[in-house]
Amino acid sequence: MNPFLNVLESQNIPKESCLKRAELTTLQVNMGDLCNQSCSHCHVGSSPQGKKIMPLEVVDRILEFLSKNRGLILDITGGAPELNPNFDYFLEKARPLAREIVIRSNLTVFFEPGKEYLPEFFKRNNIHLICSLPCYEEKNVDAQRGLGVFEKSIKALQLLNSCGYSQDKELVLDLAYNPKGINLPPQQDILEREYRENLKKSYGVEFNRLVAMTNVPIKRFKEYLEANGEYSNYVRLLEDNFNPDTVTGIMCRRYLSVGYDGKLYDCDFNQSLNWALKDEKAKPLSIDKVDIKDIENRDVMVGEHCFSCTAGFGSSCQGALDIKETVKAYYGKVLKTTKDLKTTACCSVDAMPKKQREYLAKIHPEICDKFYGCGSPIPPLLKDLKVLDLGCGTGRDTYLVSQMVGSRGFVIGVDMTDEQLDIARKHIDYQTEKSGFKKPNVDFRKGYIENLKSVGIKDNSIDLVISNCVINLSPDKIGVFSEVFRVLKPGGEFYFADVFCGRRMPEHLKHDSVLYGECLGGALYIEDFRRSLRKIGCLDYRVVTSRRIALNNKEVEEKVGGIDFYSMTIRAFKLDDLEDICEDYGQTAVYLGTISGCAHQFKLDDHHLFFTGKPMLVCGNTASMLSNTRYGKHFKIVGDKSRHFGPFPCGPTPAASKTDVVKTGGSCC
């Protein structure tokens, strides 16, 4: 019997729940075995003598597949994929078709004849690089990869840094580590800290993340082990260190691997073993004859080599389990109710208006028991709106807002966690009846908030986007913000609550699974948030509320040191006429008192409280927010932008508590 399946059975892990192919997120393309190196740990067997080179016709078939299945991550590997004569063509044609392109580079290829242009080429195409550097010491690297490889690798990394990699938030440079000989990688966050300190101090090199990978005992590495009489010892080491927590997140469930000839595999390792996916006639599947829906829920082919991805801290082509899978596991498996949270970061909820509390009372207790919000990101004036709830979870806010938009409004909830969505969908009929509607006005869709196209959210189609303590969990925050402003209608509003921090989180804390699950590891540094919005064209946002978070957990407090965390509610509008600082045009705004539930006053942000009937001087941005949005008919704006008086002296209201409000970088602050 299959040894890997034997271990699953001995651990009482049902094969059906963890070794079925799930929704495809990544297409991994192996462009061949041609490489300028012959590394001892290579599981592909690549070398300068490699003859398996992906031809142009297969590249075109892959491009056609990507055009039919837009929004996937494209992961390009080799050998050295840059040596394939069709590499540049493939990358440039694929760039508009893929959500993200990852290139796995050995770095030294930059110094091959005619390849000097690669750093700038990668920058121009916004490529996410994962570069091999199995150690930060020269002797170790040269022993594994060849004499002089370390020196060339460092020069290549310095070139990438000078191009903006790891300096510019858009240009991601990750390093790939693998251990020497028959060893498992150490804990990734500790190793990453050592890499960061040594490379910065000795060479001035910086990078985004370290990817720790376990060597896989196939092809050349298997030959190396057998030649040294270590194969059985290494396989035993992997099996003895099997970690059941890694199984649900192994990459082969969400990856599809394409070989140089177009054949399909569960993963790159199965490709090296020639374990191709087969059709109903037992013939190998190819990229031009597959529908991704047809391969979902198929059994993943596993064997002895699969212990490499499940030993110790976990490994795979993307290293330790990625953030999304960590978050899914934390919210789908670890947390059962809010009582399981270790800190107060995900449950420090703002006080709700009386009417919203009445709506909340109508929501099923099971939905509320699994609510992990950090605020109350629900603005007024929602009747008849189309609303999108990012990271809706079990649907508490979705169902609350569904009552506020009424039977002619509609609310879409998007989440990536099956266990959460199952509960949300389970109570649709119950909530429809409780709301007094004849038919549901909600829809729950499984997907990623960084890619709303994949769940059918069209451009300029949403009146209001809300989110409650979810964006911090995304590894691609600027991708989320870009999608939000794509789907918002002109004048639409983005209103969300989340965890922010007063300084940037150290890299090793960003990847701590508990801190991430508790909404701390991915907390947004307020100035980086401002810069992210500016990049996508939103020049002004407003802080509605801000409250410092008391963690109340000694272990977590020791981990984060002196970092201060805040629960903040933010609003921003999709407006074309906003400026990057507040400007004075002599305008005034008068609130008419006509918004339901706000008869006497309306709060725009932490320093704009409008009293009914009282004129208030406002900057040009504030005037636009109040007149060119759904709030327009509830305000009287006097004046226009025909005459300018210089910068507008905006600032927090005198009543704002200095201990509760963190300084922010919105233009009107």
Side-chain angles (χ1 to χ4, degrees):
M1 189 176 174
N2 189 308
F4 188 72
L5 295 180
N6 279 342
V7 169
L8 291 186
E9 185 177 339
S10 70
Q11 296 274 345
N12 294 316
I13 300 174
K15 174 186 173 184
E16 294 75 17
S17 67
C18 61
L19 292 180
K20 293 280 187 183
R21 291 191 61 86
E23 179 185 11
L24 182 66
T25 63
T26 304
L27 185 72
Q28 187 173 63
V29 175
N30 191 315
M31 298 197 75
D33 62 358
L34 178 62
C35 188
N36 59 322
Q37 296 181 21
S38 299
C39 302
S40 61
H41 61 273
C42 183
H43 68 270
V44 179
S46 300
S47 73
Q49 290 75 45
K51 303 296 183 185
K52 297 176 179 178
I53 299 173
M54 180 176 285
L56 182 60
E57 54 264 32
V58 174
V59 169
D60 283 333
R61 290 178 206 156
I62 295 170
L63 291 170
E64 185 177 353
F65 176 88
L66 289 170
S67 70
K68 293 178 181 177
N69 300 280
R70 292 178 181 250
L72 295 174
I73 296 171
L74 176 62
D75 185 339
I76 303 176
T77 184
E82 301 97 326
L83 295 179
N84 186 298
N86 304 306
F87 175 77
D88 293 8
Y89 167 83
F90 181 33
L91 192 148
E92 290 184 316
K93 292 289 185 181
R95 179 62 280 185
L97 305 177
R99 174 159 62 93
E100 178 184 12
I101 297 183
V102 178
I103 303 293
R104 298 178 184 272
S105 178
N106 68 23
L107 291 171
T108 62
V109 72
F110 294 0
F111 303 105
E112 291 297 305
K115 296 298 178 182
E116 300 84 0
Y117 69 94
L118 282 172
E120 287 292 342
F121 181 64
F122 289 148
K123 176 183 178 179
R124 188 167 64 250
N125 287 283
N126 196 25
I127 300 303
H128 176 170
L129 290 173
I130 300 180
C131 298
S132 301
L133 193 71
C135 188
Y136 48 78
E137 294 180 347
E138 183 173 9
K139 183 178 179 181
N140 185 307
V141 172
D142 286 1
Q144 288 192 56
R145 304 178 68 199
L147 191 64
V149 167
F150 180 80
E151 183 180 0
K152 285 185 176 180
S153 298
I154 292 298
K155 287 181 180 178
L157 291 171
Q158 291 168 338
L159 280 173
L160 290 170
N161 281 171
S162 68
C163 287
Y165 269 93
S166 85
Q167 320 297 312
D168 186 329
K169 205 168 185 179
E170 299 293 295
L171 299 173
V172 179
L173 171 61
D174 293 337
L175 299 183
Y177 162 88
N178 60 278
K180 184 180 178 182
I182 59 165
N183 296 293
L184 295 178
Q187 188 168 332
Q188 184 161 303
D189 56 351
I190 296 172
L191 182 64
E192 181 177 292
R193 197 177 313 134
E194 293 176 2
Y195 260 73
R196 201 173 297 283
E197 292 172 355
N198 281 276
L199 291 178
K200 177 68 174 176
K201 180 180 178 181
S202 301
Y203 309 103
V205 166
E206 296 181 284
F207 62 95
N208 292 89
R209 186 172 74 105
L210 183 71
V211 176
M213 294 187 287
T214 303
N215 292 326
V216 185
I218 50 182
K219 286 290 179 74
R220 188 177 295 130
F221 187 58
K222 181 179 181 181
E223 294 169 2
Y224 165 84
L225 292 171
E226 289 176 336
N228 288 276
E230 295 283 12
Y231 179 76
S232 59
N233 291 336
Y234 184 68
V235 171
R236 191 179 308 113
L237 174 72
L238 296 177
E239 186 172 344
D240 289 346
N241 284 275
F242 173 78
N243 180 356
D245 293 338
T246 65
V247 175
T248 57
I250 52 179
M251 70 168 193
C252 50
R253 301 187 64 222
R254 304 173 310 283
Y255 272 54
L256 183 62
S257 187
V258 189
Y260 80 100
D261 55 0
K263 291 180 183 178
L264 300 179
Y265 307 83
D266 285 315
C267 68
D268 196 41
F269 308 132
N270 283 4
Q271 183 181 149
S272 293
L273 293 169
N274 201 28
W275 291 8
L277 295 174
K278 303 290 181 65
D279 62 17
E280 63 278 1
K281 296 181 180 179
K283 293 183 177 180
L285 279 174
S286 59
I287 190 67
D288 56 329
K289 296 179 181 178
V290 68
D291 185 322
I292 59 174
K293 293 297 180 185
D294 293 340
I295 61 174
E296 285 185 12
N297 294 315
R298 286 179 56 146
D299 289 339
V300 173
M301 286 187 276
V302 297
E304 196 171 56
H305 64 289
C306 297
F307 287 117
S308 302
C309 294
T310 53
F313 295 102
S315 175
S316 65
C317 268
Q318 77 269 36
L321 302 183
D322 65 26
I323 287 172
K324 287 178 181 175
E325 293 307 312
T326 299
V327 172
K328 281 184 184 180
Y330 202 74
Y331 283 85
K333 310 291 185 186
V334 177
L335 298 181
K336 303 303 180 184
T337 72
T338 54
K339 295 177 182 178
D340 295 321
L341 290 164
K342 298 180 183 298
T343 73
T344 61
C346 291
C347 56
S348 54
V349 182
D350 294 332
M352 279 186 177
K354 180 175 181 294
K355 191 63 178 177
Q356 289 187 25
R357 293 198 301 272
E358 293 174 4
Y359 291 139
L360 185 62
K362 296 181 181 181
I363 297 176
H364 196 282
E366 186 179 15
I367 294 171
C368 296
D369 284 346
K370 290 179 176 289
F371 169 71
Y372 308 115
C374 61
S376 184
I378 302 173
L381 207 61
L382 302 190
K383 189 171 175 57
D384 299 338
L385 296 191
K386 187 172 183 180
V387 180
L388 174 63
D389 183 4
L390 299 181
C392 63
T394 57
R396 195 207 75 162
D397 286 348
T398 307
Y399 283 123
L400 198 159
V401 170
S402 75
Q403 298 175 71
M404 298 174 69
V405 301
S407 59
R408 292 192 296 179
F410 199 80
V411 188
I412 300 170
V414 175
D415 204 276
M416 66 180 181
T417 308
D418 289 319
E419 292 86 349
Q420 298 269 295
L421 288 172
D422 287 345
I423 293 171
R425 291 167 176 154
K426 173 182 173 183
H427 297 291
I428 287 179
D429 290 342
Y430 172 90
Q431 294 300 148
T432 302
E433 183 180 347
K434 277 285 186 180
S435 301
F437 301 148
K438 292 182 180 179
K439 61 180 182 179
N441 67 343
V442 298
D443 183 26
F444 294 100
R445 304 180 188 180
K446 182 182 178 183
Y448 297 105
I449 61 177
E450 305 89 349
N451 181 17
L452 297 172
K453 283 184 179 179
S454 67
V455 292
I457 311 294
K458 297 180 180 178
D459 296 1
N460 306 311
S461 62
I462 301 294
D463 297 295
L464 169 69
V465 176
I466 63 171
S467 181
N468 202 336
C469 207
V470 170
I471 295 171
N472 74 86
L473 299 172
S474 170
D476 180 16
K477 294 174 177 60
I478 196 167
V480 176
F481 300 139
S482 297
E483 282 291 83
V484 166
F485 282 88
R486 176 184 68 79
V487 305
L488 277 176
K489 296 176 181 177
E493 183 175 12
F494 180 30
Y495 197 94
F496 74 102
D498 222 305
V499 177
F500 289 78
C501 50
R503 65 183 84 169
R504 290 192 181 107
M505 292 286 289
E507 287 297 322
H508 70 279
L509 292 181
K510 287 182 181 180
H511 302 285
D512 183 290
S513 60
V514 171
L515 292 183
Y516 218 94
E518 293 285 326
C519 302
L520 301 175
L524 299 93
Y525 169 49
I526 191 68
E527 293 300 331
D528 285 341
F529 168 67
R530 173 183 62 80
R531 295 181 182 103
S532 294
L533 286 192
R534 181 168 295 197
K535 281 184 179 179
I536 62 172
C538 179
L539 300 182
D540 192 359
Y541 69 89
R542 300 300 172 85
V543 177
V544 182
T545 63
S546 178
R547 183 192 311 108
R548 187 160 185 162
I549 295 171
L551 300 178
N552 298 329
N553 183 293
K554 186 176 181 180
E555 180 184 351
V556 171
E557 288 172 353
E558 288 178 353
K559 275 188 178 182
V560 301
I563 300 175
D564 47 335
F565 295 94
Y566 299 85
S567 171
M568 299 174 70
T569 300
I570 305 285
R571 73 180 348 144
F573 297 92
K574 185 175 180 176
L575 296 167
D576 292 332
D577 59 346
L578 299 182
E579 299 178 89
D580 61 350
I581 69 165
C582 296
E583 300 288 356
D584 188 352
Y585 296 97
Q587 295 168 291
T588 61
V590 180
Y591 175 49
L592 305 178
T594 49
I595 296 176
S596 177
C598 305
H600 305 294
Q601 60 189 38
F602 172 80
K603 181 179 181 180
L604 177 69
D605 54 45
D606 61 7
H607 54 287
H608 285 94
L609 182 63
F610 295 90
F611 294 96
T612 300
K614 180 181 178 180
M616 183 173 176
L617 285 170
V618 293
C619 69
N621 284 358
T622 299
S624 181
M625 292 175 185
L626 298 176
S627 59
N628 297 325
T629 65
R630 71 182 190 279
Y631 299 104
K633 63 182 179 181
H634 302 280
F635 281 83
K636 180 182 178 182
I637 306 297
V638 178
D640 54 30
K641 293 185 177 180
S642 60
R643 190 176 180 188
H644 182 235
F645 297 95
F648 190 92
C650 266
T653 56
S657 168
K658 293 181 180 178
T659 59
D660 287 346
V661 180
V662 64
K663 291 182 180 179
T664 61
S667 67
C668 201
C669 310

